[in-house]
């Protein structure tokens, strides 16, 4: 022992000297001698620790601790573990715990606490969060040392809270980490991964235990409630992710925790939701009303609160109503510095609905975002009570999906809730889109009855299915079988009694219902059931005795209806029946309307009440209320029955909606409403009429026509008893026809209506306006005669109208427009019905006052119109025109006088008068229009007055600009600019501005304005004409001609400017390019001038131009008639004025008239006119004609007279005229050829020689003159002059291959060459054939060569080719005439072609001869 002690001292000395190896050697020696030597093991461990042999040192310390429970070895271990840091924190925990126990046993409390504190601090500093949480276990109540250190360490609640906070954060991080890792796996879904990770983490979590311990140990109620909430939330979250097999136990825990919180009235929403939602009561009344009230108090912002509050404050609620009283307010002095919200609850945090509308709105708002099953159950019952079946179907389908999802998540089976949802859904499906959903509804009721065979609601639901299908026997049978299980069920018995009544057995129904009333009044039944039974009993009595006395009696049905309302003041059917009673029997319309209104307010299903109410409002003209009532019925879903239903649809609400929308001018909606009504009732007459009127007002005239025609088809099928007057459909159809431009049909329809209802002012006015519009339209179409006839008929009808109509603006406007037709078509001005106009203008007693308007300015009174007497024939047209203009002006003055009270109508009347005055100015002779006339001044006054009355109308400003363009260009420009400011897309204004620019010679502005007008309306002809003038001023005649042509194509027949400019441009073109003019280029100008002559009969210049076009189209007789009339007027004008211009135009007219006479064979008249023209143009010093005009006129006159003299058999006189023409025309080649032909025809050698000389002179001057060469060839043939023939042949061959000769001249050349070949003595038939073939080869596109070849060869092919070539050469592809085409047809020899030849040119012989030959063969 002594040696061991000495050795221990030596070891201690070596350690002090830090001789670790020596110390280890000595300790090993001691241990070898005494293995259980505690101190040796301690020294050894210490030395090993100093040598950093940690593992060996730890083993040594552990050996020492096993030998003796001493603190020294454990302290060494702790120091060793502290050196190792966090990786030995678990070992440190064990060592610290053991050391603390040893120190505690030794009653060394401070050292014990110090060890624990150092360990906890070390774990907090060196370890991670989980290690720190594990270290805290040392001071928990479960720790062995807690009894020793209790009071010296933190309270367990604080420690548990710290541990819970650490674990919450760690588990959240772990969940997020695992989700992030696993969601990247193939096929992984985020929702599935989230559930899986939460299940894994929560299954291993100690949070619930920590929460429970914390709740047990804490002394702070707030913290306890906080962690009770966390515990419930954690348990609930774990319940949601647990597999279905493990949910049951957890479900009980969660429900217990929630119920406990509700018991202590702790406002944690999840707990309350679970406690209320998971009760799954059979009836709503089984719920604890106090719990529901507390829920509403705690959570006023929740969705369930809104639904609960709405339900509990409604009449449907089985719970007692809260008294509507609050604590009395105590007045306090105002000088106290206290907040007004500190007492009396402050600002309210909840809303209590007081009306059904507010209640429904509140509940709908709550149900829209909630997933509460109780909320859906309450809402379903509320919807069912108010018969909102469509909404309930959608709501319950959604509720059942939510219930299934909730059951899957929580494992809670909601049996009773499911039955309630199925019951609500089944009941709604009975009525919604019946009977389509009856099968589904019946299956739902069957499921309910399998679970609960005594379910009254389910049994009634099945019965209602049969009732809705009108299978009353089956319904009665089913409900009777249901009654066998529950005879005391009053609701089912009441339904059976009503079914008997619906079946028609009102007596039995009455007895059944009467037998139930005593039981219902004595037992606590719902007021709805009692009211319903009383009402139904009243209906049975109502239908049993239908006499007026019985129904009027207040002791019969009336009494039961009143009792029903006493039982339930909100029972709508009783109000409907009372309304019928008051309306039909008590004759109290005021009470009836109130009853109907109340019924409709309570229930949109009261269709009869709604219809009667709507008709009542319609009788009062209150269309807004009609629309409200009809829309309520439409929104109820009862209007259109679903497919397969036996019930008929209800069309009147949609028709009423259409009429209301029609009155509001909302035509698109009206169309939709009438269409829906007609889908339900296709034979509804008034809906067709309303649809037609809606289509008409919206501009859909074709559809309107079809709708009105359908209505008229129903008129024929329906009797007069069923329909009132049917004139309105004719009137509407006439309006539609008028808008479509079918004026004739519209007029006939209007006349039919007037025949039935002669006092309908609107129809008469419409007839007047339609006839006027038709007349104006006929002018635009060129039907001038018809337009005059229509205007005459209009004025004739205006005479016969009723006197009140003459006091309307539209009447006088129509009269004025009708009179203006005669001033537009001046060729028919003599047809003006003066007598009718006089009668019309004499209508009324205030005519003198009206005619005095602007009389001082325009001087227009009734004198001209009423003037009688005969006028010279040459003045009659002017008189008639003036009468029509004055009548138009006077009519518009009457319109102004009648619109004194209507500002806008008077503005339009002044506008119309202004244009009438302007027309009168425009109809003045050109010389009088050079200065401002009284008509023009009056027009300016009228348009200014119109602008004063309505300054925002762009048409008024545009009109002012037009009439001031020549008077004051600055004012005109301002007016046009203002009009464009109001409507910048007006083509009229842009064109007028361009015209003003033209007048002021601003071509750039004019061109830009006309271009803008064209871009706004490409079909506005004036813009194209204006641009044509711009092109003319720039010198581009071709461009101008194209623009005038386009304007002519797109313009109406009434457009004068195009009828003037287009023929003028075309005539100038014909004069410059005569070879390119054909019949096609002449037809349209000819028609244009013909229309112009009807519109402006006094426009002699264009009549003369018309005669020139007639001459070029071989209409010589028409040209003679035109020129004779023109020359007669010119002669009268010259005699009256001695105007040089009239004399010049008269001379030119006589020149052209002589030529036309010659063309018709009237040579005597031709000589007379020609000599007069030569006499008038003989004085070269006179300035009537220009030099060029005189030269052409005298040349034409000389040639005409010469030809006439020749045809009269006086060739010598003819020759003298031709020679004079040749001299004055400076040897014109055409005149020379004509002279040569006449000289040759005289037959004398001298004359013929003179003819040869004339022709040679022409050829010397112009070798390419075809006609002279051809004539020389003919002369050579006749003289048999071989030398001349050779020269002429050479010249003809040259011309034959050139482009100088026209197609007709080529035919003449070919004919002369063929004649030369035939008459040549050395020529054979082959030579003749060769000549013709050469002609065909040179000109294969001309038919003449092919025709000659056919005649020579007798073959069909050349004849067919001639015809084909001829057809390809007719206009517009070529210039071949009708005679040539007829010859080509005649050459084939067939009957059909011969007939075609006769049809094309009946005046030629070839067609007739070919037809005769073909027929004779």
């Amino acid at each position: 022992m002594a040696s061991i002690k000495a050795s221990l001292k030596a070891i201690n000395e070596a350690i002090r000297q830090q001789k670790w190896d020596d110390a280890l050697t000595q300790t090993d020696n001691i241990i070898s001698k005494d293995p259980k030597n505690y101190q040796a093991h301690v020294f050894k461990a210490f030395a090993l620790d100093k040598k950093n042999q940690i593992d060996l040192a730890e083993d040594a310390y552990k050996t020492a601790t096993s030998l003796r429970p001493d603190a020294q070895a454990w302290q060494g271990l702790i120091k060793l573990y502290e050196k190792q840091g966090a990786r030995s924190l678990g070992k440190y925990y064990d060592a610290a715990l053991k050391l603390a126990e040893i120190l505690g046993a030794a009653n060394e409390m401070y050292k014990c606490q110090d060890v624990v504190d150092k360990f906890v601090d070390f774990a907090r500093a060196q370890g991670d969060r989980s290690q720190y949480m594990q270290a805290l276990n040392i001071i928990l109540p479960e720790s062995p040392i807690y009894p020793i250190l209790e009071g010296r360490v933190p309270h367990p609640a604080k420690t548990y809270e710290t541990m819970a906070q650490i674990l919450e954060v760690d588990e959240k991080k772990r969940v997020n980490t695992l989700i992030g890792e696993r969601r990247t796996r193939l096929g992984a879904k985020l929702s599935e991964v989230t559930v899986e990770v939460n299940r894994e983490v929560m299954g291993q979590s100690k949070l619930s235990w920590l929460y429970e311990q914390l709740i047990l140990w804490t002394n702070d109620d707030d913290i306890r409630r906080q962690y009770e909430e966390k515990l419930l939330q954690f348990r609930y979250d774990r319940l949601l992710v647990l597999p279905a097999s493990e949910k049951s136990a957890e479900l009980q825990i969660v429900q217990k925790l929630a119920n406990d919180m509700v018991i202590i009235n702790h406002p944690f929403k999840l707990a309350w939701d679970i406690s209320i939602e998971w009760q799954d009561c059979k009836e709503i009344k089984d719920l604890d009303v106090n719990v529901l009230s507390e829920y509403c108090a705690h959570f006023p912002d929740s969705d369930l609160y809104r639904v609960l509050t709405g339900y509990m404050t409604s009449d449907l609620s089985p719970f007692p109503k809260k008294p509507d009283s609050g604590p009395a307010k105590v007045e306090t002095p105002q000088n106290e510095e206290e907040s007004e919200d500190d007492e009396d609850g402050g600002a309210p945090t909840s809303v209590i609905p007081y009306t059904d509308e507010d209640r429904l709105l509140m509940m709908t708002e709550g149900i829209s975002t909630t997933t509460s099953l109780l909320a859906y159950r309450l809402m379903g019952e509320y919807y069912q009570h108010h018969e909102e079946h469509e909404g309930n179907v959608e709501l319950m389908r959604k509720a059942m999906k939510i219930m299934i999802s909730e059951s899957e998540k929580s494992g809670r089976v909601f049996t009773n809730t499911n039955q309630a949802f199925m019951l609500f859904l089944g009941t709604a499906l009975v009525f919604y889109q019946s009977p389509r959903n009856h099968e589904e509804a019946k299956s739902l009721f069957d499921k309910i009855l399998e679970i609960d065979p005594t379910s009254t609601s389910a049994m009634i639901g099945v019965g209602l299915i049969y009732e809705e299908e009108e299978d009353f026997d089956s319904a009665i049978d089913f409900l009777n079988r249901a009654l066998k299980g529950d005879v005391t069920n009053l609701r089912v018995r009441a339904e059976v009694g009503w079914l008997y009544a619906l079946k028609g057995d009102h007596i039995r129904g009455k007895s059944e219902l009467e037998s139930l009333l005593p039981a219902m009044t004595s037992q606590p039944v719902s007021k709805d059931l009692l009211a319903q039974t009383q009402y139904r009993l009243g209906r049975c009595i109502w239908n049993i005795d239908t006499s007026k006395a019985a129904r009027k009696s207040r002791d019969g049905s009336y009494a039961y209806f009143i009792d029903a309302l006493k039982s339930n003041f909100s029972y709508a059917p009783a109000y409907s029946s009372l309304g019928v009673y008051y309306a039909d029997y008590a004759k109290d319309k005021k009470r009836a309307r109130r009853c109907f209104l109340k019924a409709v307010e309570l229930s949109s299903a009261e269709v009869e009440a709604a219809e009667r109410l709507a008709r009542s409002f319609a009788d009062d003209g209150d269309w807004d209320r009609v629309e409200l009532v009809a829309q309520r019925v439409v929104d109820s879903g009862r209007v259109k029955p679903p497919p397969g239903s036996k019930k008929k649809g209800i069309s009147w609400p949609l028709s009423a909606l259409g009429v209301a929308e029609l009155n509001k001018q909302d035509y698109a909606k009206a169309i939709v409403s009438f269409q829906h009504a007609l889908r339900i009732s296709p034979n509804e007459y008034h809906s067709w009429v309303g649809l037609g009127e809606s289509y008409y007002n919206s501009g859909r005239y074709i559809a309107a026509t079809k709708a009105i025609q359908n209505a008229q088809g129903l008129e024929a099928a329906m009797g007069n008893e069923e329909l009132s007057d049917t004139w309105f459909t004719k009137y509407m159809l006439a309006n539609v026809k008028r808008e479509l431009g079918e004026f004739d049909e519209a007029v006939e329809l209007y006349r039919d209506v007037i025949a039935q209802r002669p006092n309908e002012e609107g129809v008469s006015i419409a007839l007047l306006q339609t006839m006027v519009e038709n007349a104006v339209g006929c002018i635009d179409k060129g039907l001038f005669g018809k337009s005059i006839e229509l205007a005459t008929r209009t004025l004739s009808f205006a005479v016969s109208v009723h006197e009140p109509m003459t006091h309307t603006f539209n009447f006088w406007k129509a009269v004025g427009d009708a009179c203006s037709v005669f001033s537009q078509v001046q060729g028919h001005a003599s047809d003006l019905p003066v007598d009718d106009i006089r009668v019309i203008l004499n209508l009324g007693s205030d005519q003198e006052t009206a005619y005095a308007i602007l009389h001082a300015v325009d001087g227009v009174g009734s004198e001209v119109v009423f003037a009688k007497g005969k006028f010279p024939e040459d003045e009659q047209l002017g008189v008639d025109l003036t009468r029509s203009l004055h009548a138009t002006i006077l009519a518009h003055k009457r319109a102004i006088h009648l619109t004194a009270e209507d500002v806008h109508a008077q503005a339009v009347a002044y506008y119309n008068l202004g244009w009438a005055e302007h027309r009168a100015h425009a109809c003045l002779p050109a010389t009088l229009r050079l200065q401002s006339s009284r008509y023009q001044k009056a027009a300016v006054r009228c348009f200014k007055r119109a602008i004063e009355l309505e300054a925002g109308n762009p048409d008024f400003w545009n009109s002012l600009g037009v009439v001031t363009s020549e008077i004051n260009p600055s004012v005109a420009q301002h007016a046009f600019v203002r009009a464009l400011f109001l409507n910048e897309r007006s083509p009229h204004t842009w064109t007028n501005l361009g015209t003003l620019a033209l007048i002021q010679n601003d071509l750039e502005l004019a061109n830009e304005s006309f271009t803008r007008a064209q871009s706004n309306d490409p079909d506005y002809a004036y813009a194209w004409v204006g641009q044509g003038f711009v092109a003319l001023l720039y010198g581009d005649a071709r461009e101008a001609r194209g623009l005038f042509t386009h304007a002519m194509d797109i313009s109406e027949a009434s457009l004068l400017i195009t009828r003037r400019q287009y023929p003028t441009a075309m005539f100038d073109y014909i004069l410059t390019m005569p070879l390119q003019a054909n019949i096609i280029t002449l037809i349209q100008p000819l028609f244009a001038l013909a229309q112009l002559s009807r519109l402006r009969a006094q426009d002699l210049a264009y009549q003369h131009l018309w005669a020139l076009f007639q001459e070029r189209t071989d209409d010589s007789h028409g040209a003679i008639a035109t020129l004779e009339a023109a020359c007669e007027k010119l002669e009268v004008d010259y005699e009256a004025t001695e105007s040089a211009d009239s004399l010049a135009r008269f001379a030119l007219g006589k020149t052209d008239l002589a030529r036309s006479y010659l063309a018709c064979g009237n040579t005597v008249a031709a000589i007379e006119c020609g000599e007069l023209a030569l006499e008038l143009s003989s004085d070269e010093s006179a300035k009537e004609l220009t030099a060029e005009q005189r030269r052409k006129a005298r040349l034409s006159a000389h040639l005409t007279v010469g030809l006439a003299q020749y045809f009269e058999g006086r060739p010598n006189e003819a020759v003298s005229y031709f020679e004079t023409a040749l001299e004055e025309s400076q040897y014109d080649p055409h005149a020379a050829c004509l002279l040569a032909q006449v000289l040759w025809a005289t037959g004398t050698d001298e004359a013929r020689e003179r003819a040869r000389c004339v022709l040679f002179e022409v050829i010397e001057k112009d070798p390419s003159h075809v006609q002279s060469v051809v004539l020389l060839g003919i002369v050579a043939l006749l003289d048999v002059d071989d030398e001349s023939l050779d020269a002429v042949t050479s010249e003809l061959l040259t011309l034959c291959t050139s482009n100088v000769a026209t197609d007709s001249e080529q035919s003449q050349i070919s004919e002369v060459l063929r004649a030369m070949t035939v008459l040549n003595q050395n020529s054979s038939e082959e030579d003749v054939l060769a000549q013709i073939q050469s002609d065909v080869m040179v000109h294969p596109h001309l038919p003449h060569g092919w025709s000659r070849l056919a005649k020579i060869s007798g073959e069909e092919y050349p004849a067919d080719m001639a015809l084909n070539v001829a057809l390809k050469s007719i206009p517009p592809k070529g210039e071949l005439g009708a005679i040539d085409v007829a010859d080509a047809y005649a050459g084939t020899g067939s009957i059909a072609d011969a007939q075609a030849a006769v049809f094309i040119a009946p005046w030629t012989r070839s067609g007739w001869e070919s037809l005769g030959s073909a027929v004779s063969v």
Side-chain angles (χ1 to χ4, degrees), residues 453-741:
T454 62
S455 175
T456 304
S457 299
M459 288 188 289
I460 292 179
V462 177
L464 289 176
I465 293 176
Y466 291 121
E467 181 179 333
E468 281 293 308
E469 294 176 353
E470 297 183 0
D471 188 357
F472 302 123
D473 292 329
S474 299
I476 293 171
D477 181 64
F478 184 88
L479 293 179
N480 281 331
R481 284 191 283 115
L483 282 173
K484 293 179 181 179
D486 186 8
V487 183
T488 61
N489 195 317
L490 298 178
R491 186 177 179 185
V492 177
R493 290 177 61 189
E495 201 65 35
V496 171
W498 180 240
L499 285 171
Y500 281 118
L502 292 176
K503 186 181 176 182
D505 192 352
H506 299 291
I507 296 175
R508 183 169 181 180
K510 174 178 175 293
S511 63
E512 292 283 345
L513 294 172
E514 277 182 335
S515 64
L516 296 175
L517 283 180
M520 287 185 178
T521 54
S522 61
Q523 296 180 14
V525 298
S526 68
K527 61 181 181 180
D528 290 339
L529 179 59
L530 179 58
Q532 183 186 66
T533 305
Q534 290 168 331
Y535 164 75
R536 289 176 172 179
L537 180 56
R539 291 299 300 176
C540 291
I541 297 173
W542 181 273
N543 292 319
I544 289 173
D545 189 353
T546 59
S547 64
K548 184 175 182 181
R551 289 189 171 181
K552 191 175 182 179
S553 173
R554 291 180 177 264
D555 297 329
S557 301
Y558 174 83
Y560 284 103
F561 297 150
I562 295 296
D563 289 342
L565 290 179
K566 290 178 180 178
S567 299
N568 184 0
F569 191 71
S570 299
Y571 192 67
Y575 284 105
S576 297
S577 297
L578 280 176
V580 174
Y581 170 82
Y582 285 124
D584 296 346
Y585 299 98
K587 303 301 180 183
D588 189 343
K589 293 185 178 180
K590 188 174 182 180
R591 285 189 177 182
R593 176 180 285 192
R594 288 180 179 177
C595 289
F596 292 140
L597 184 59
K598 186 66 176 179
V600 174
E601 287 178 354
L602 292 173
S603 174
S604 60
E606 296 303 311
V607 178
E608 183 181 2
E611 182 176 5
R612 286 176 176 259
L613 184 62
R615 291 185 184 278
S616 174
F617 289 143
D619 293 338
D620 296 342
D622 192 347
W623 295 107
D624 290 335
R625 292 190 177 183
V626 171
E627 183 180 9
L628 289 173
V629 173
Q631 189 63 53
R632 180 164 174 79
V633 178
V634 170
D635 293 341
S636 70
R638 295 177 176 270
V639 171
K640 185 178 180 181
S645 176
K646 296 179 182 179
K647 294 184 177 180
K648 294 182 179 180
I650 305 171
S651 61
W652 72 262
L654 295 167
S655 297
L657 272 180
V659 175
E661 289 155 353
L662 195 59
N663 277 275
K664 293 195 304 182
Q665 299 182 359
D666 194 347
Y667 304 120
K669 291 183 178 179
I671 288 171
V672 173
S673 297
F674 285 126
Q675 285 176 337
H676 287 171
L678 288 169
R679 290 191 186 102
I680 297 172
S681 300
N683 295 326
E684 173 59 35
Y685 171 77
H686 294 94
S687 294
W688 281 114
V689 176
L691 180 62
E693 187 175 359
S694 302
Y695 277 137
Y696 165 74
N697 289 320
S698 61
R700 299 169 63 180
Y701 302 120
I702 301 300
T705 302
K706 294 179 179 178
I708 296 172
Q709 287 175 346
N710 285 335
Q712 290 180 333
L714 292 174
E715 290 174 4
M718 301 170 71
N720 294 331
E721 298 79 8
E722 301 178 41
L723 295 173
S724 57
D725 292 338
T726 59
W727 64 272
F728 188 72
T729 55
K730 292 182 181 179
Y731 173 67
M732 285 305 305
L733 185 59
N735 290 340
V736 173
K737 295 292 185 182
R738 174 184 172 186
E739 294 295 336
L740 290 174

Side-chain angles (χ1 to χ4, degrees), residues 948-1257:
E948 290 174 2
L949 294 171
E950 189 177 343
N953 194 317
D955 293 335
F956 297 171
W957 287 99
N958 175 54
S959 304
L960 179 63
V962 171
V963 297
T964 57
S965 294
E966 298 176 355
I967 303 174
N968 193 332
S970 299
V971 173
Q973 183 181 12
H974 170 74
F976 290 140
V977 171
R978 183 64 181 174
L980 289 174
F981 172 77
L982 296 171
N983 181 15
E984 64 176 356
R985 299 186 63 83
S986 171
H988 305 76
T989 310
W990 281 111
T991 302
N992 293 332
L993 180 61
T995 305
L996 178 64
L998 271 181
I999 295 173
Q1000 301 302 316
N1001 203 28
D1002 188 347
L1003 301 185
E1004 184 177 355
L1005 175 59
N1007 186 59
E1008 182 181 352
S1009 299
F1010 292 135
T1011 303
R1012 288 290 299 271
Q1014 292 166 5
S1015 63
N1016 289 326
D1017 185 2
D1019 293 331
Y1020 189 60
Y1022 281 108
W1024 296 96
V1025 174
Q1027 205 164 33
F1029 282 123
V1030 173
L1032 278 180
L1033 293 174
Y1034 276 119
D1036 192 346
R1038 181 179 179 183
E1039 176 70 14
R1041 186 174 64 255
L1043 291 168
F1044 290 144
T1045 302
H1046 181 68
M1048 179 69 189
D1049 291 338
I1050 64 176
S1051 67
E1052 297 85 6
S1054 60
L1055 199 61
L1056 297 177
I1057 189 67
T1058 57
R1059 267 72 192 154
R1060 289 170 174 166
Q1061 289 306 124
Y1062 171 67
T1064 304
M1066 290 304 299
F1067 193 77
D1068 293 341
Y1069 169 67
I1070 292 170
L1071 291 179
T1072 55
M1073 303 290 291
L1075 297 179
Q1076 297 184 13
N1078 53 46
I1079 192 65
I1080 299 299
T1081 61
L1082 300 176
I1083 290 176
Q1084 196 169 4
L1086 190 66
F1087 287 158
L1089 290 168
Q1091 292 173 341
L1092 182 61
S1093 69
R1094 302 280 296 281
L1095 294 171
R1096 291 292 183 270
Q1098 295 176 319
D1099 205 340
L1100 300 181
Y1102 289 96
Q1103 289 191 24
H1104 193 172
L1105 181 62
W1106 183 28
L1108 294 178
F1109 275 100
Q1110 289 174 323
E1111 181 185 7
R1112 278 163 174 74
T1113 55
D1114 294 335
D1115 185 9
S1116 301
H1117 294 287
I1120 290 172
T1122 303
L1123 289 171
E1124 282 180 344
C1127 289
E1128 183 179 353
K1129 294 176 182 177
L1130 287 170
E1131 185 177 3
V1132 172
D1133 182 68
Y1134 178 73
E1135 291 175 355
T1137 62
E1138 293 186 358
S1139 168
D1141 181 62
S1142 298
L1143 179 61
R1145 291 164 62 186
F1146 178 74
L1148 294 176
K1150 284 296 183 179
T1151 302
D1152 296 334
L1153 181 58
R1155 211 167 43 247
S1156 298
Y1157 278 134
L1158 179 62
C1160 287
N1162 190 352
T1163 54
V1164 176
I1167 293 172
E1168 181 183 353
C1169 290
E1171 288 179 346
L1172 179 58
L1174 290 172
E1175 181 182 351
L1176 293 173
S1177 61
S1178 61
D1179 187 3
E1180 295 184 1
S1181 62
K1183 302 300 182 182
E1184 294 90 354
L1185 297 172
T1186 64
E1188 182 65 19
Q1189 286 178 331
R1190 177 175 287 103
R1191 184 186 70 81
K1192 290 184 178 181
R1194 292 184 65 79
L1195 174 60
S1196 174
H1198 278 113
L1199 293 177
T1200 303
V1201 175
L1203 287 173
Q1205 294 285 2
Y1206 173 78
F1207 288 119
E1208 282 289 319
R1210 298 191 285 270
N1212 294 327
E1213 288 83 352
V1215 170
S1216 66
Y1217 277 103
F1218 286 135
E1219 288 180 345
T1220 305
L1222 193 61
E1223 291 176 2
E1224 291 189 3
S1225 66
Q1226 299 177 356
Y1227 292 92
D1228 184 83
H1230 297 288
C1233 290
L1234 191 58
L1235 174 60
Q1237 290 176 1
V1238 174
L1239 288 170
W1240 187 270
T1242 59
T1244 63
D1245 294 339
E1246 183 181 357
R1248 290 187 175 183
E1249 184 61 31
R1250 172 67 177 149
R1252 293 187 189 95
C1253 293
V1254 170
L1255 292 174
F1256 278 122
E1257 289 175 0

Side-chain angles (χ1 to χ4, degrees), residues 217-234:
W217 283 96
T218 185
N219 296 320
D220 190 335
D221 288 340
D222 293 336
I223 293 178
R224 180 179 291 107
R225 299 294 173 259
Q226 176 185 353
Y227 280 93
E228 283 176 349
E229 292 177 4
K230 288 189 175 185
L231 176 60
L232 176 59
Q233 187 69 57
F234 179 83

